[in-house]
Amino acid sequence: MAERLFLRLDGDPLYAPETSVPAGTLREFAIDAPLAAHVAHIASYREDIPAGQERIERVLPDGAVHLIFHLGDEPPMAEAGRAGLAGVAGASASPTVLRFRGQVAGLSVSLRPGAIAALLGMPAGDITNTVVALDDLWGPAATPLIARLQDARTDEARVAIVQATLRQRLQAGRKPAASPAAHAAQLIATSGGQRALRDVAAAVGVGERRLQQLFHAEVGLSPRSWGRLARLHGCLRALRQQASPRWAELALDAGFYDQAHLVNEFQSLCGLSPRLFLARAQAAAPAREVSGFSNTGG
């Protein structure tokens, strides 16, 4: 079976246009108001894979730290298997290839830059490109949470349990002040990665070296890596408007040095060439229309 593609950029609907995950597999949930500044997205996923088969899925990087709970037969990737039923996937600027088997079920919570220390009790940079068991971070407090999630009968109940737990951790800890790193990350993202880092640092009132330190602690990526992802994401958004892009012009508009730079960044950050990505993205939309599912819905 062909490899599936999953992509979700900030502000996208649950099923982004490029995503070829089957309709009905994902479900999005509202975020409680006290968590809105810390949590970007919560979704459940469910899929039954026939015995003896597997589904391979390429997840393009969004740069976020993800809190993941596995509630099916087995976790969908080797790293998550070592993390057990609950883990934290650190920020990454590389694609992740997942292999799903059996009954797949779980929850994914995407955290905002600056939220990691408050909710997980550690610098984000300590788990970059890794998956860590939740009980390694929370200790004995993780065990009853996992048990309650396993006992819950619906995804709504599980999401309510997770959000209540996160609210308690925020209330128990020292509430963080406004984060220069989170502000800087937003400035880089909104510029499509084209704003100079010295200008970003000046805008948030810190030096470039201090900005590096804050990104390690609160984002998990360097400002440069975050900027590379922002530039890629801007390019991906532009591709949605161009069925037959002029690659050299697109590269310059998106802030790449030239077309070769765009190709190299796509290969590094997505594991795909731009043309192969575009072919897969364009194939995903007709498949959804045939299934009767709209890309614009949650």
Side-chain angles (χ1 to χ4, degrees), residues 250-262:
L250 178 67
L252 295 177
D253 290 344
F256 297 97
Y257 300 130
D258 52 27
Q259 185 174 339
H261 184 207
L262 180 151

Side-chain angles (χ1 to χ4, degrees), residues 142-205:
T143 302
L145 170 61
I146 295 170
R148 290 178 65 199
L149 291 176
Q150 290 176 315
D151 291 340
R153 295 183 177 273
T154 66
D155 287 336
E156 290 89 346
R158 296 184 184 98
V159 169
I161 290 169
V162 169
Q163 296 208 73
T165 300
L166 296 179
R167 290 198 307 271
Q168 290 169 2
R169 291 191 66 83
L170 283 177
Q171 293 167 359
R174 181 176 63 84
K175 191 171 183 179
S179 167
H183 184 197
Q186 183 62 29
L187 292 176
I188 293 170
T190 55
S191 75
Q194 298 191 52
R195 188 165 180 174
L197 292 183
R198 62 178 178 276
D199 294 339
V200 172
V204 300

Side-chain angles (χ1 to χ4, degrees), residues 7-295:
L7 169 67
R8 187 176 186 278
L9 304 177
D10 188 33
D12 276 354
L14 182 61
Y15 285 87
E18 303 85 356
T19 294
S20 53
V21 176
T25 302
L26 303 171
R27 185 180 177 193
E28 187 174 16
F29 292 85
I31 298 167
D32 292 348
L35 294 176
H38 306 275
V39 174
H41 190 248
I42 300 177
S44 65
Y45 51 90
R46 290 189 171 275
E47 185 175 5
D48 289 328
I49 311 298
Q53 298 184 25
E54 72 174 8
R55 300 290 183 265
I56 302 174
E57 185 173 302
R58 179 175 298 270
V59 181
L60 301 193
D62 61 3
V65 175
H66 298 271
L67 183 58
I68 302 170
F69 299 94
H70 299 294
L71 304 167
D73 291 341
E74 61 180 274
M77 60 181 174
E79 292 87 347
R82 289 196 293 271
L85 297 176
V88 181
S92 176
S94 301
T96 300
V97 177
L98 307 179
R99 294 179 179 270
F100 296 93
R101 301 183 185 92
Q103 184 185 62
V104 181
L107 299 176
S108 176
V109 181
S110 303
L111 302 182
R112 296 189 184 279
I116 290 79
L119 293 175
L120 301 180
M122 65 178 304
D126 287 3
I127 57 170
T128 299
N129 294 321
T130 63
V131 179
V132 181
L134 188 61
D135 53 13
D136 287 344
L137 303 181
W138 287 359
T143 302
L145 170 61
I146 295 170
R148 290 178 65 199
L149 291 176
Q150 290 176 315
D151 291 340
R153 295 183 177 273
T154 66
D155 287 336
E156 290 89 346
R158 296 184 184 98
V159 169
I161 290 169
V162 169
Q163 296 208 73
T165 300
L166 296 179
R167 290 198 307 271
Q168 290 169 2
R169 291 191 66 83
L170 283 177
Q171 293 167 359
R174 181 176 63 84
K175 191 171 183 179
S179 167
H183 184 197
Q186 183 62 29
L187 292 176
I188 293 170
T190 55
S191 75
Q194 298 191 52
R195 188 165 180 174
L197 292 183
R198 62 178 178 276
D199 294 339
V200 172
V204 300
V206 299
E208 289 186 62
R209 183 173 181 180
R210 179 56 179 160
L211 187 64
Q212 295 274 357
Q213 296 169 338
L214 290 171
F215 260 69
H216 177 272
E218 300 183 20
V219 178
L221 298 173
S222 68
R224 179 179 178 274
S225 292
W226 185 262
R228 290 176 66 204
L229 279 181
R231 187 165 52 234
L232 172 71
H233 293 170
C235 183
L236 294 177
R237 289 188 172 95
L239 278 175
R240 292 173 176 174
Q241 312 301 320
Q242 304 179 41
S244 300
R246 296 182 177 181
W247 293 105
E249 293 180 10
L250 178 67
L252 295 177
D253 290 344
F256 297 97
Y257 300 130
D258 52 27
Q259 185 174 339
H261 184 207
L262 180 151
V263 171
N264 290 336
E265 287 291 86
F266 252 87
Q267 198 66 51
S268 175
L269 299 172
C270 302
L272 301 170
S273 70
R275 294 184 188 276
L276 181 54
F277 168 82
L278 185 60
R280 290 192 183 184
Q282 290 176 343
R288 290 204 178 284
E289 291 173 3
V290 169
S291 72
F293 187 83
S294 169
N295 281 325

